[in-house]
Amino acid sequence: MKTRIAVIGLGSIAGEHLSAYQKNPQAELVAVCDVDLERAKARAEQFGVERVTGDAEEIFSDPGIDAVSVCVPNTLHAPIAEAALRAGKNVLVEKPMTVTVPEAEALVKAVEDTGKALQIGYVRRYAPNALVTKRFLDAGEFGDIYAARATLLRTAGNPGGWFGDVELSGGGPLIDLGVHVIDLCWYLMGMPKPVSASGVTFAPLGARDNIQHLTRYKAASAARPNTVEDYATAQIRFEGGAVLDVDTSFSLHARNEISVRIHGDKGGAEIEPELLMITERHDTLLHVQPQIDSLGFDFRAGFANQIDHFLQICRGEIPADATAEQGLEMARMLSAIYESAKTGAEVRIAR
């Protein structure tokens, strides 16, 4: 039997959810929901979905819907995801799961209370380059991972819309872009317990709408608020001594860059911009490049794998593995970085 799916929030990222569900034979798209009914109707027509609503309560109260993708702005993730769980739906919620620690704690409790599954949309975990790296890690090829570095820089990449409005986004590039690469590093490090964070944010450049002759990704909304940081840099310390350094920006006088690296006592790997493994054999350093279709982040393959994975969770074949508890740890890390940026001091991560 197919899993009956509704998608709530129909901005840019929802298109990837809808497309992946549409192509998966185990899913049936039965409804779409957005406060902008015209956008909802357009999405429904695009993906052949019969039911359109502007009221999420209609989705929650319908016993014919098994699961939902939550693709609304960040600060709305928690209330909609919790309502869906308590209505008996399995939930795939876009990253970040929440923007505050108390909201994350409430979602952990909702999962415990309902027994339903919550999966976070950490799509980079499911791209082929990450899956291959994880397999090598699990086999002990790199030994103990003690350091990681994640960089995701945009020269002029503030999308505008709700992404630039801290009241809806909860933050700028750290919470929008950084969350992806922080999670990927943390996941590959074995998800050690974070104990402290030190961070700095800057906002001297703004949305850089003066820049001409450059095509840029923009949010569906034409509004261009800018109350978020341009650039954030931070270090997270973990129990046992491992560290993760992160740099991320919407606006920065630098080239666009992505780099994700992990370092272990037996070897290491560059996961982005393309997969490369570094180790040694017989007193000789080796650079090993796997022969796979996508050495870099394959967006479409990642989404297809993520949606297939979520549908397996919905069918009870596997447990959720990007869980509310992991979302809570991410909320703790992000909150500590922002607090450190405000206070100018390292922040202990309390529990």
Side-chain angles (χ1 to χ4, degrees):
M1 183 177 177
K2 293 184 177 182
T3 302
R4 296 162 296 186
I5 300 289
V7 177
I8 303 174
L10 299 171
S12 300
I13 203 64
E16 301 301 330
H17 287 247
L18 289 160
S19 179
Y21 283 127
Q22 186 184 58
K23 294 173 183 175
N24 195 300
Q26 297 300 319
E28 180 184 358
L29 278 169
V30 297
V32 292
C33 175
D34 196 285
V35 293
D36 184 338
L37 276 177
E38 291 307 310
R39 180 164 65 181
K41 289 174 184 177
R43 285 293 199 189
E45 183 176 351
Q46 180 184 2
F47 291 98
V49 183
E50 291 187 5
R51 186 172 175 187
V52 177
T53 180
D55 184 0
E57 290 297 331
E58 289 186 25
I59 303 296
F60 304 147
S61 63
D62 185 347
I65 294 172
D66 302 312
V68 300
S69 270
V70 177
C71 303
V72 295
N74 294 347
T75 55
L76 301 177
H77 285 178
I80 291 179
E82 182 172 359
L85 288 167
R86 295 196 180 280
K89 316 300 182 191
N90 292 312
V91 174
L92 173 59
V93 59
E94 264 298 332
K95 57 76 198 171
M97 183 181 80
T98 70
V99 299
T100 72
V101 170
E103 287 175 334
E105 291 171 336
L107 279 182
V108 169
K109 187 173 189 307
V111 170
E112 293 171 349
D113 290 347
T114 64
K116 305 308 292 186
L118 182 143
Q119 182 81 352
I120 306 167
Y122 291 141
V123 66
R124 274 187 146 78
R125 293 189 186 187
Y126 302 98
N129 61 342
L131 293 173
V132 169
T133 304
K134 185 66 163 60
R135 187 165 183 178
F136 276 68
L137 274 164
D138 290 346
E141 293 287 341
F142 306 137
D144 293 326
I145 306 301
Y146 56 85
R149 180 175 292 275
T151 302
L152 208 171
L153 303 178
R154 291 180 183 171
T155 301
N158 185 324
W162 64 262
F163 292 93
D165 182 351
V166 73
E167 296 301 320
L168 292 174
S169 65
L174 178 66
I175 205 168
D176 179 50
L177 305 176
V179 66
H180 271 306
V181 289
I182 291 171
D183 174 73
L184 182 56
C185 286
W186 182 56
Y187 175 65
L188 295 175
M189 294 171 82
M191 295 183 289
K193 180 180 176 182
V195 296
S196 68
S198 179
V200 186
T201 61
F202 301 90
L205 301 180
R208 306 194 81 180
D209 289 334
N210 61 299
I211 300 298
Q212 301 178 31
H213 315 299
L214 179 66
T215 300
R216 295 184 280 164
Y217 166 73
K218 292 186 178 181
S221 168
R224 300 289 291 170
N226 190 61
T227 54
V228 299
E229 78 273 8
D230 295 342
Y231 170 64
T233 183
Q235 183 176 82
I236 304 165
R237 293 178 177 272
F238 299 98
E239 196 172 65
V243 296
L244 166 58
D245 292 288
V246 59
D247 289 285
T248 186
S249 71
F250 277 162
S251 297
L252 192 68
H253 286 125
R255 292 191 299 179
N256 291 334
E257 179 184 354
I258 181 167
S259 174
V260 177
R261 302 178 181 186
I262 56 171
H263 309 288
D265 58 7
K266 293 183 180 179
E270 297 177 3
I271 299 93
E272 300 285 349
E274 60 179 35
L275 182 56
L276 179 71
M277 299 179 185
I278 300 94
T279 186
E280 61 180 275
R281 294 288 189 277
H282 310 297
D283 302 321
T284 303
L285 291 172
L286 299 179
H287 287 187
V288 181
Q289 192 154 65
Q291 299 302 294
I292 60 176
D293 289 336
S294 302
L295 288 169
F297 174 49
D298 188 324
F299 193 78
R300 293 294 162 81
F303 258 98
N305 290 340
Q306 175 181 253
I307 292 300
D308 190 65
H309 196 82
F310 178 57
L311 292 169
Q312 291 180 64
I313 293 167
C314 292
R315 295 194 300 272
E317 296 172 1
I318 57 175
D321 59 0
T323 63
E325 288 85 356
Q326 293 171 29
L328 172 56
E329 291 293 351
M330 180 62 71
R332 287 170 174 152
M333 287 186 270
L334 295 175
S335 295
I337 293 169
Y338 280 125
E339 181 64 21
S340 174
K342 289 179 182 177
T343 63
E346 185 174 35
V347 172
R348 300 291 298 178
I349 296 175
R351 286 170 176 77

